[in-house]
Amino acid sequence: MGDDRGLVLVVEDEPAIAELERMYLADAGFGVHVERDGSRALESVSRLRPAAIVLDIGVPGMDGVEVCRRLRARGDWTPVVFVTARDDEVDRILGLELGADDYVTKPFSPRELVARIRGLIRRAAGSPGAEARRIGPVSLDPARRRVEAGGVRVELTATEFDLLEHLMSQPGRVFTREQLLSSVWGVADYSSSRTVDVHVAQLRTKLGDASWIIRTARGVGYSAAGADD
């Protein structure tokens, strides 16, 4: 099993699904560690420092929502992809207080899961040569993966950061939800476009008074405020 791409912690209590995830991730070059209990998973994050976490929402001991909440509360922003059996839980697991990066709904394609993990890890690594940006009170430094609003640091997940960076890269341009999914998430499953709206809501909440820089083009998509705004 290769580990040149980093270690992925899989938290899944169904053995068949856990083995499927392990096999596909290992074939893609990731190291994989599997836990079947939420409490043990939380301990493993501290010990193993994984590059990403695949987290089933319904694991025993401590459910996935609580695991993610505790990670974020202690300042751990390891990228998290939730696995859920119910599509109606999407708003909950991507809720403003959790800071999840992405999700897949059972049954899911293992190849799609691997693609999303790759994208998350790539984005979390940052873009050392990218140009720093500023719109109004919001500054974004791609090299340090740092965002400030009014001089105060704003803690963002990898996905939130890259969504904001993409919008700020072309101020005033309206991006459709499909364009954002393709460019930021790296996926072509446009049926999951609701995740864009949830992440925009997260960004606006975290930016607080500076949230005005993110504009809604009703029925189309989103943009960052332009020079004339």
Side-chain angles (χ1 to χ4, degrees):
M1 178 177 66
D3 60 359
D4 55 302
R5 295 181 181 273
L7 177 71
V8 177
L9 174 62
V10 170
V11 189
E12 172 61 65
D13 64 318
E14 295 185 41
I17 295 177
E19 176 58 20
L20 188 66
E21 294 172 350
R22 186 204 64 75
M23 181 177 66
Y24 272 82
L25 287 165
D27 285 349
F30 293 101
V32 185
H33 179 83
V34 177
E35 292 287 0
R36 294 181 169 83
D37 174 275
S39 299
R40 290 179 59 86
L42 201 58
E43 296 171 1
S44 292
V45 174
S46 299
R47 186 176 77 255
L48 301 174
R49 309 306 304 170
I53 303 169
V54 179
L55 182 56
D56 187 89
I57 197 172
V59 289
M62 178 189 300
D63 72 13
V65 170
E66 184 60 23
V67 171
C68 188
R69 181 179 289 115
R70 293 195 185 193
L71 285 174
R72 298 321 190 214
R74 70 189 191 193
D76 188 323
W77 294 91
T78 303
V80 171
V81 176
F82 268 119
V83 177
T84 176
R86 290 171 30 211
D87 189 61
D88 61 4
E89 288 187 319
V90 170
D91 286 329
R92 178 178 176 227
I93 64 178
L94 292 177
L96 301 180
E97 79 281 6
L98 289 181
D101 291 277
D102 207 349
Y103 73 96
V104 293
T105 304
K106 296 178 182 178
F108 58 88
S109 162
R111 289 186 178 87
E112 178 70 12
L113 176 65
V114 170
R116 295 192 182 208
I117 290 293
R118 279 177 173 157
L120 273 176
I121 293 176
R122 183 186 67 250
R123 297 197 302 271
S127 309
E131 178 185 354
R133 307 182 187 282
R134 174 180 287 275
I135 296 178
V138 177
S139 62
L140 183 147
D141 184 341
R144 294 191 298 161
R145 304 287 291 183
R146 185 182 181 97
V147 171
E148 294 184 355
V152 178
R153 184 167 184 175
V154 180
E155 295 286 358
L156 300 178
T157 67
T159 300
E160 291 165 358
F161 182 95
D162 286 293
L163 175 58
L164 182 61
E165 182 182 21
H166 193 73
L167 291 171
M168 291 178 67
S169 68
Q170 298 185 58
R173 175 183 171 180
V174 175
F175 294 94
T176 67
R177 290 170 177 82
E178 290 76 16
Q179 288 171 331
L180 291 171
L181 278 171
S182 177
S183 299
V184 178
W185 278 262
V187 300
D189 179 13
Y190 301 143
S191 64
S192 62
S193 62
R194 181 167 48 137
T195 193
V196 176
D197 299 330
V198 175
H199 277 86
V200 167
Q202 288 177 280
L203 270 176
R204 284 172 166 159
T205 297
K206 291 184 176 182
L207 291 173
D209 291 342
S211 63
W212 60 266
I213 73 160
I214 301 177
R215 304 294 174 86
T216 299
R218 193 171 300 278
V220 182
Y222 299 97
S223 67
D228 298 330
D229 291 314

